[in-house]
Coordinates of all heavy atoms in Angstrom, one line a residue:
Chain A
E28 N -168.3 -69.0 -142.5 CA -167.3 -68.0 -142.1 C -166.2 -68.7 -141.2 O -165.0 -68.5 -141.4 CB -167.9 -66.9 -141.4 CG -168.7 -65.9 -142.3 CD -167.7 -65.1 -143.2 OE1 -166.7 -64.6 -142.7 OE2 -168.0 -65.1 -144.4
F31 N -164.1 -71.2 -143.0 CA -163.1 -70.5 -143.9 C -161.9 -70.0 -143.1 O -160.7 -70.2 -143.4 CB -163.8 -69.4 -144.7 CG -162.9 -68.7 -145.7 CD1 -162.5 -69.4 -146.8 CD2 -162.4 -67.4 -145.5 CE1 -161.6 -68.8 -147.7 CE2 -161.6 -66.8 -146.5 CZ -161.2 -67.5 -147.6
F36 N -156.3 -70.4 -141.1 CA -155.4 -70.6 -139.9 C -154.6 -71.8 -140.1 O -153.4 -71.9 -139.9 CB -156.2 -70.6 -138.7 CG -155.4 -70.8 -137.4 CD1 -154.6 -69.7 -137.0 CD2 -155.3 -72.0 -136.7 CE1 -153.8 -69.8 -135.9 CE2 -154.5 -72.1 -135.6 CZ -153.7 -71.0 -135.2
T39 N -151.8 -71.4 -142.4 CA -150.7 -70.6 -141.8 C -149.9 -71.4 -140.8 O -148.7 -71.3 -140.8 CB -151.3 -69.4 -141.1 OG1 -152.3 -68.7 -141.9 CG2 -150.2 -68.4 -140.8
L100 N -118.1 -54.9 -149.8 CA -118.6 -54.8 -151.2 C -120.1 -54.4 -151.2 O -120.6 -53.6 -151.9 CB -118.4 -56.1 -152.0 CG -117.0 -56.4 -152.5 CD1 -117.0 -57.7 -153.2 CD2 -116.5 -55.3 -153.4
A104 N -121.8 -51.0 -152.4 CA -122.8 -50.9 -153.5 C -124.0 -50.2 -153.0 O -124.7 -49.4 -153.6 CB -123.1 -52.3 -154.0
Y107 N -123.5 -46.5 -152.6 CA -123.6 -45.9 -154.0 C -125.0 -45.7 -154.4 O -125.4 -44.6 -154.8 CB -122.8 -46.7 -155.0 CG -122.9 -46.1 -156.4 CD1 -122.2 -44.9 -156.6 CD2 -123.7 -46.6 -157.3 CE1 -122.3 -44.3 -157.8 CE2 -123.8 -46.0 -158.6 CZ -123.1 -44.8 -158.8 OH -123.2 -44.2 -160.0
N124 N -131.0 -55.6 -161.7 CA -130.0 -56.7 -161.8 C -129.8 -57.3 -160.4 O -129.8 -58.5 -160.3 CB -128.7 -56.1 -162.2 CG -127.6 -57.1 -162.4 OD1 -127.9 -58.1 -163.0 ND2 -126.5 -57.0 -161.8
S126 N -132.1 -57.4 -158.0 CA -133.2 -58.3 -157.6 C -133.2 -59.6 -158.4 O -133.7 -60.6 -158.0 CB -134.5 -57.5 -157.6 OG -134.6 -56.6 -158.6
L128 N -130.5 -61.2 -159.4 CA -129.5 -62.0 -158.9 C -130.0 -62.8 -157.7 O -129.6 -63.9 -157.4 CB -128.2 -61.2 -158.5 CG -127.3 -60.8 -159.6 CD1 -126.2 -60.0 -159.1 CD2 -126.8 -62.1 -160.3
G130 N -132.7 -64.0 -157.3 CA -133.5 -65.2 -157.7 C -132.7 -66.2 -158.5 O -133.3 -67.2 -158.9
P132 N -130.7 -69.4 -159.0 CA -130.5 -70.6 -158.1 C -129.0 -70.7 -157.6 O -128.1 -70.4 -158.4 CB -130.8 -71.8 -159.0 CG -131.6 -71.2 -160.1 CD -131.2 -69.8 -160.3
L139 N -120.7 -70.7 -161.8 CA -119.9 -69.5 -162.0 C -118.6 -69.7 -161.3 O -117.6 -69.4 -161.9 CB -120.7 -68.3 -161.4 CG -120.0 -67.0 -161.5 CD1 -119.9 -66.5 -162.9 CD2 -120.6 -65.9 -160.6
S142 N -116.4 -72.3 -163.1 CA -115.9 -71.9 -164.4 C -114.9 -70.7 -164.3 O -113.8 -70.7 -164.8 CB -117.0 -71.5 -165.3 OG -116.5 -70.9 -166.5
Y146 N -111.2 -72.2 -162.8 CA -110.5 -72.4 -164.1 C -109.9 -71.1 -164.7 O -108.7 -71.0 -164.9 CB -111.3 -73.1 -165.1 CG -111.5 -74.6 -164.7 CD1 -112.8 -75.1 -164.5 CD2 -110.5 -75.4 -164.6 CE1 -113.0 -76.4 -164.1 CE2 -110.6 -76.8 -164.2 CZ -111.9 -77.2 -163.9 OH -112.1 -78.5 -163.6
T194 N -119.1 -32.5 -147.0 CA -119.3 -33.1 -148.3 C -120.3 -34.2 -148.2 O -120.6 -34.7 -147.1 CB -118.0 -33.6 -148.9 OG1 -117.5 -34.7 -148.1 CG2 -117.0 -32.5 -149.0
W196 N -119.9 -37.3 -149.0 CA -119.2 -38.5 -148.4 C -119.0 -38.3 -146.9 O -119.2 -39.3 -146.1 CB -117.9 -38.8 -149.1 CG -117.1 -39.9 -148.4 CD1 -115.9 -39.7 -147.8 CD2 -117.5 -41.2 -148.2 NE1 -115.5 -40.9 -147.3 CE2 -116.4 -41.9 -147.5 CE3 -118.6 -42.0 -148.5 CZ2 -116.4 -43.2 -147.1 CZ3 -118.6 -43.3 -148.2 CH2 -117.6 -43.9 -147.5
P255 N -122.2 -78.1 -144.0 CA -123.2 -78.7 -144.8 C -122.7 -79.8 -145.7 O -123.4 -80.8 -146.1 CB -123.9 -77.6 -145.5 CG -122.9 -76.4 -145.5 CD -122.2 -76.6 -144.2
Chain C
E20 N -112.6 -37.5 -152.4 CA -114.0 -37.7 -152.5 C -114.4 -38.4 -153.8 O -115.2 -39.3 -153.8 CB -114.8 -36.4 -152.3 CG -116.3 -36.5 -152.4 CD -117.0 -36.2 -151.1 OE1 -116.3 -36.0 -150.1 OE2 -118.2 -36.2 -151.1
I23 N -113.4 -42.0 -153.8 CA -114.3 -42.8 -153.0 C -115.6 -43.1 -153.7 O -116.0 -44.3 -153.8 CB -114.6 -42.1 -151.6 CG1 -113.4 -42.1 -150.7 CG2 -115.8 -42.7 -150.9 CD1 -113.4 -41.2 -149.6
K28 N -119.0 -46.9 -156.7 CA -119.7 -47.3 -157.9 C -119.2 -48.6 -158.4 O -119.9 -49.5 -158.9 CB -119.4 -46.2 -159.0 CG -120.3 -46.3 -160.2 CD -120.1 -45.1 -161.1 CE -121.1 -45.1 -162.2 NZ -121.1 -43.9 -163.0
C30 N -118.1 -51.0 -156.5 CA -118.8 -52.1 -155.7 C -120.2 -52.4 -156.3 O -120.5 -53.6 -156.4 CB -119.0 -51.6 -154.3 SG -117.5 -51.4 -153.4
S34 N -122.2 -56.3 -159.0 CA -123.5 -57.0 -159.3 C -123.7 -57.2 -160.7 O -124.2 -58.3 -161.2 CB -124.6 -56.3 -158.6 OG -125.0 -55.2 -159.3
I35 N -123.4 -56.2 -161.5 CA -123.6 -56.3 -163.0 C -122.6 -57.3 -163.6 O -122.9 -58.2 -164.4 CB -123.5 -55.0 -163.6 CG1 -124.7 -54.1 -163.2 CG2 -123.5 -55.1 -165.2 CD1 -124.9 -52.8 -163.9
T38 N -123.7 -60.8 -163.1 CA -124.7 -61.3 -164.1 C -124.0 -61.6 -165.4 O -124.2 -62.6 -166.1 CB -125.8 -60.3 -164.3 OG1 -126.3 -60.0 -163.0 CG2 -126.8 -60.8 -165.2
M44 N -120.1 -67.2 -168.8 CA -119.5 -68.6 -168.6 C -120.5 -69.7 -169.0 O -120.1 -70.7 -169.6 CB -119.1 -68.7 -167.1 CG -120.1 -68.8 -166.1 SD -120.8 -70.4 -165.7 CE -122.2 -70.0 -164.7
E48 N -119.1 -72.2 -171.9 CA -119.0 -73.6 -171.6 C -120.0 -74.5 -172.3 O -119.7 -75.6 -172.6 CB -119.0 -73.8 -170.1 CG -118.1 -73.0 -169.2 CD -116.7 -73.7 -169.0 OE1 -116.4 -74.7 -169.7 OE2 -116.0 -73.2 -168.1
A104 N -152.2 -68.6 -146.1 CA -151.5 -68.0 -145.0 C -151.5 -66.5 -145.2 O -151.6 -65.7 -144.3 CB -150.1 -68.5 -144.9
Y107 N -154.8 -65.1 -144.3 CA -155.0 -65.1 -142.8 C -154.2 -63.9 -142.2 O -154.7 -63.2 -141.4 CB -154.5 -66.4 -142.2 CG -154.7 -66.5 -140.8 CD1 -156.0 -66.8 -140.3 CD2 -153.7 -66.3 -139.8 CE1 -156.3 -66.9 -138.9 CE2 -154.0 -66.4 -138.5 CZ -155.2 -66.7 -138.0 OH -155.5 -66.8 -136.7
Y111 N -157.1 -61.6 -141.2 CA -157.7 -62.3 -140.1 C -156.9 -62.2 -138.8 O -157.4 -61.9 -137.7 CB -157.9 -63.8 -140.4 CG -159.1 -64.1 -141.2 CD1 -159.0 -63.9 -142.6 CD2 -160.3 -64.5 -140.6 CE1 -160.2 -64.2 -143.4 CE2 -161.4 -64.7 -141.4 CZ -161.3 -64.6 -142.8 OH -162.4 -64.8 -143.6
I133 N -130.4 -78.6 -147.0 CA -129.8 -79.9 -146.8 C -130.6 -80.6 -145.7 O -130.8 -81.8 -145.7 CB -128.3 -79.9 -146.6 CG1 -127.8 -81.3 -146.6 CG2 -127.9 -79.1 -145.4 CD1 -126.3 -81.4 -146.8
T200 N -169.5 -60.3 -145.6 CA -168.8 -61.0 -144.6 C -167.3 -60.9 -144.8 O -166.9 -60.5 -146.0 CB -169.2 -62.4 -144.5 OG1 -168.8 -63.1 -145.7 CG2 -170.7 -62.6 -144.3
R202 N -165.3 -63.2 -145.2 CA -164.8 -64.2 -146.3 C -165.1 -63.6 -147.6 O -164.3 -63.7 -148.5 CB -165.6 -65.5 -146.1 CG -165.3 -66.5 -147.2 CD -166.0 -67.8 -146.9 NE -167.4 -67.6 -146.6 CZ -168.4 -68.4 -147.1 NH1 -168.1 -69.4 -147.8 NH2 -169.6 -68.1 -146.8
Y275 N -118.8 -82.8 -168.9 CA -118.5 -81.5 -168.3 C -119.3 -80.4 -168.9 O -120.0 -79.6 -168.3 CB -117.0 -81.2 -168.3 CG -116.7 -79.8 -167.6 CD1 -116.5 -79.7 -166.3 CD2 -116.5 -78.7 -168.4 CE1 -116.1 -78.5 -165.7 CE2 -116.2 -77.5 -167.9 CZ -116.0 -77.4 -166.5 OH -115.7 -76.2 -165.9
T289 N -135.3 -69.8 -164.7 CA -135.5 -69.1 -163.5 C -135.5 -67.6 -163.8 O -136.2 -66.8 -163.2 CB -134.5 -69.4 -162.4 OG1 -133.2 -69.3 -163.0 CG2 -134.7 -70.8 -161.9
N293 N -138.3 -64.9 -162.9 CA -138.0 -63.7 -162.0 C -138.4 -62.4 -162.6 O -139.0 -61.5 -162.0 CB -136.6 -63.7 -161.6 CG -136.3 -64.7 -160.5 OD1 -137.1 -64.9 -159.7 ND2 -135.1 -65.3 -160.6
Q297 N -141.2 -59.8 -161.3 CA -140.9 -58.4 -161.0 C -141.9 -57.5 -161.8 O -142.3 -56.5 -161.2 CB -139.5 -58.1 -161.4 CG -138.5 -58.4 -160.3 CD -137.1 -58.2 -160.7 OE1 -136.8 -57.3 -161.4 NE2 -136.2 -59.0 -160.2

Side-chain angles (χ1 to χ4, degrees):
Chain A
E28 283 293 313
F31 185 68
F36 181 71
T39 316
L100 283 180
Y107 177 74
N124 183 52
S126 36
L128 280 179
L139 177 73
S142 175
Y146 291 119
T194 63
W196 170 244
Chain C
E20 177 116 356
I23 286 166
K28 195 170 183 174
C30 292
S34 73
I35 292 187
T38 306
M44 67 89 192
E48 305 270 13
Y107 186 79
Y111 281 83
I133 186 160
T200 65
R202 178 175 51 138
Y275 177 86
T289 50
N293 281 325
Q297 275 175 34

